[in-house]
Each structure stands twice: as C-alpha cells, then as structure tokens.
C-alpha cells in the first residue's frame, strides 16, 4: 500500500520519490536497476568535486573514514556498505523514498539504522538541491557512522528524539541536530574543520563555513544551540564549534527533560544571533 509523501517547509513542487514502495516504517529496498548511466555519472562527478575540496576543510575523522564508502565510480549498493559498516559500529543504511516523518526517523536512528534516500538529483540540480538525495546522505552522513563515537551520538540522538516528541520538545532537539550532525564545525590542531553532513556535501558551504569571515562561530553549548533558529535556504550565518567528537558525545549525556522545561521560558535567537522577544 505504501506511505504518503512527507513535506518539510515550503516547496513549489511535490516531494520526489516513490512512496508507494515504502513499508510501515518508511523503509524500502534500493532499486539499483533503476539507476541510469546518467545517475551514476552524476554521483561520480559529485564525489570527485567534493573529495577535492576536503583537504584543509573537512575533519580528519571524516577524511579517514571516507574510503569506507567504497568505489565511487558508480552509486554504491547499500548491502556492500553494510557489509563494512555493520562489523565496524553495528550500524546499517536502509533505503527510504525521501523525507520521512520525524518519529519514524528517530525510531530508525535509535535502532542504529540510517535512512538514505535512494534517488539522486538530476544534472540540472548538480550545484543545489532542495531535498536530501542519495549523494548527500551517503557522502555527507555515512562515513562518520564508521567512527564509534559519532555512531553512538547519532543513536543517542534517535533515542532522545523519541523522548522529545513525547515532551513536545521536538523543535529544540531538531536544532541540535541541525547545528551538529548537519552543520557542525570542529577545531583541530591544524585549524577549523567541518564534520556536519550539510557542509561536507555542499561545495559552496564547505569553503564558506571554514574560511569566510562572515558567519559567527560559537563554542557549542546544548542550550544555545536549542535556542537558535536556523535557515534552510542560505548558508548558515551561525555555526557551533566543538573541540572533539568525544566532547559532542559528553555534552549530550544528561537528561534533557529539565533543560526543555527551563528553555521554554527563555527568549530564542535568530539564525544570525539576534535575540528575540518571548513569543516572537
């Protein structure tokens, strides 16, 4: 029977992806035979462009883990990645037709299953795509799932998401995900580097986030990240910086329930750091 498409934010077109293939948890088999030679060429060119930009900009942990994705001349098969990923950290990638509901997303992460969109952008979308595709999900997210610390953090996020949903605090936790897993920066001995998937899969933002003087870069605190709104259609005006992946894991060790209650009474920040009056 399949599932209904999922939409976040605003778009001029309906969501892409064949949701009629989705099971009750929104997962689906990777239809590898459906990829065209153009699809494989798009993946190869995206991989080549991004990998060339990584030195001096991407975190050392990411660069070290990237070869675990396997050959990049063609779109990888999920089962081939899982043959390496499962023994490394107990994670596996599972196919999804596109964006999925938050609760289903949290449940998959809590079970150490990372949802990967199984379609790829068109050549016309080479430089920018609204929705995450297979390149963003595989190249941006999956390499660091081979890192035990980040792998445990992502599972903890999924477990925390299930609780946040029950407490009505999903938006606060979504901001933490945005500013760490998607757009996080890390300070290494040789300088500032990116570890967030949204940065690592974007040619423009990878350079901008690390090198531009325009954005503000703040030491990560869970409270400040949860109080900061974000934008989905521009480079980030604010990034949060950690000193190690272990620090990220340690910062999220506490029970967030008392924090959620306290933050509801505090003003929020705009994406560029301006404080907002309560209720705006």
């Amino acid at each position: 029977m399949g599932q209904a498409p999922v939409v976040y934010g605003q778009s001029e077109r309906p969501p892409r992806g064949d949701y009629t293939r989705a099971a009750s948890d929104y997962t689906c088999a990777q239809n590898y035979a459906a990829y065209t030679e153009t699809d494989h060429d798009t993946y190869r060119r995206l991989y080549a462009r991004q990998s060339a930009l990584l030195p001096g900009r991407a975190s050392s942990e990411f660069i070290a883990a990237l070869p675990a994705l396997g050959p990049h001349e063609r779109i990888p098969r999920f089962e081939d990645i899982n043959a390496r990923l499962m023994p490394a950290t107990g994670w596996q990638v599972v196919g999804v037709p596109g964006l999925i509901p938050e609760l289903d997303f949290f449940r998959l992460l809590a079970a150490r299953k990372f949802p990967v969109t199984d379609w790829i952008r068109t050549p016309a979308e080479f430089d920018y795509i609204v929705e995450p595709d297979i390149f963003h999900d595989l190249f941006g997210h999956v390499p660091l799932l081979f890192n035990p610390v980040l792998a445990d953090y992502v599972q903890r996020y999924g477990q925390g998401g299930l609780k946040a949903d029950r407490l009505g605090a999903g938006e606060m936790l979504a901001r933490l995900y945005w500013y760490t897993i998607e757009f996080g920066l890390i300070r290494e001995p040789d300088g500032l580097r990116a570890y967030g998937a949204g940065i690592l899969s974007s040619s423009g933002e990878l350079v901008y986030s690390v090198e531009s003087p325009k954005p503000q870069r703040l030491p990560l605190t869970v409270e400040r990240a949860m109080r900061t709104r974000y934008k989905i259609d521009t480079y980030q005006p604010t990034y949060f910086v950690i000193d190690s992946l272990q620090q990220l894991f340690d910062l999220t060790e506490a029970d967030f329930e008392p924090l959620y209650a306290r933050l509801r009474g505090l003003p929020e920040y705009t994406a560029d750091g301006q404080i907002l009056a309560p209720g705006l």
Side-chain angles (χ1 to χ4, degrees):
M1 184 174 179
Q3 299 284 3
V6 177
V7 180
Y8 292 124
Q10 297 180 348
S11 176
E12 295 179 353
R13 59 172 175 75
R16 201 175 315 182
D18 181 6
Y19 285 77
T20 64
R21 299 188 296 119
S24 60
D25 62 356
Y26 276 86
T27 63
C28 62
Q30 183 187 26
N31 187 2
Y32 199 84
Y35 298 130
T36 66
E37 287 305 313
T38 297
D39 292 335
H40 290 297
D41 183 63
T42 297
Y43 182 87
R44 179 190 59 77
R45 292 190 298 119
L46 284 166
Y47 191 107
R49 180 180 69 175
Q50 288 306 114
S51 59
L53 293 171
L54 296 180
R57 300 185 181 101
S59 73
S60 57
E61 288 92 344
F62 180 85
I63 291 175
L66 184 59
L69 275 185
H72 53 269
E73 290 78 15
R74 301 177 72 78
I75 296 171
R77 294 180 184 270
F78 293 169
E79 60 262 33
D80 292 341
I81 293 174
N82 289 336
R84 297 183 290 273
L85 184 56
M86 283 284 290
T89 59
W91 274 83
Q92 60 181 304
V93 297
V94 293
V96 291
L99 295 170
I100 66 175
E102 286 185 346
L103 266 179
D104 295 274
F105 180 66
F106 295 150
R107 291 187 185 110
L108 289 172
L109 297 188
R112 295 179 93 88
K113 297 179 179 179
F114 195 87
V116 174
T117 301
D118 68 345
W119 52 262
I120 193 165
R121 70 193 72 181
T122 66
E125 298 167 309
F126 190 81
D127 291 320
Y128 176 74
I129 187 169
V130 177
E131 300 169 60
D133 68 343
I134 192 172
F135 179 76
H136 165 81
D137 286 342
L138 284 184
F139 186 95
H141 284 287
V142 174
L144 281 180
L145 290 177
F146 283 88
N147 180 284
V149 177
L150 200 281
D152 286 347
Y153 172 75
V154 177
Q155 181 184 31
R156 176 182 284 175
Y157 180 86
Q159 295 166 335
L162 296 173
K163 184 174 183 178
D165 182 78
R166 296 194 299 270
L167 297 172
E171 176 60 28
M172 294 184 203
L173 198 65
R175 292 171 183 170
L176 182 64
Y177 185 92
W178 185 266
Y179 284 118
T180 59
I181 296 173
E182 289 288 357
F183 290 94
L185 296 178
I186 185 170
R187 195 170 301 282
E188 297 188 345
D190 293 334
L192 201 64
R193 301 290 186 265
Y195 72 92
I199 301 175
L200 293 165
S201 61
S202 166
S203 60
E205 192 145 10
L206 179 54
V207 177
Y208 174 86
S209 66
V210 174
E211 299 178 6
S212 173
K214 293 181 181 180
Q216 62 174 346
R217 301 175 179 90
L218 305 176
L220 176 68
T221 67
V222 172
E223 177 178 316
R224 178 60 189 269
M226 287 187 175
R227 293 171 64 191
T228 303
R229 299 178 181 181
Y230 57 83
K231 294 183 177 182
I232 64 172
D233 55 355
T234 65
Y235 293 163
Q236 301 306 302
T238 299
Y239 297 97
F240 289 91
V241 184
I242 59 175
D243 293 319
S244 68
L245 294 180
Q246 186 63 47
Q247 179 199 16
L248 177 63
F249 185 81
D250 293 343
L251 283 172
T252 57
E253 199 166 15
D255 179 7
F256 284 169
E257 185 171 356
L259 179 61
Y260 294 147
R262 184 164 60 83
L263 294 187
R264 288 191 178 97
L266 297 177
E268 296 186 337
Y269 293 88
T270 63
D272 58 359
Q274 303 301 308
I275 198 162
L276 289 165
L280 293 180

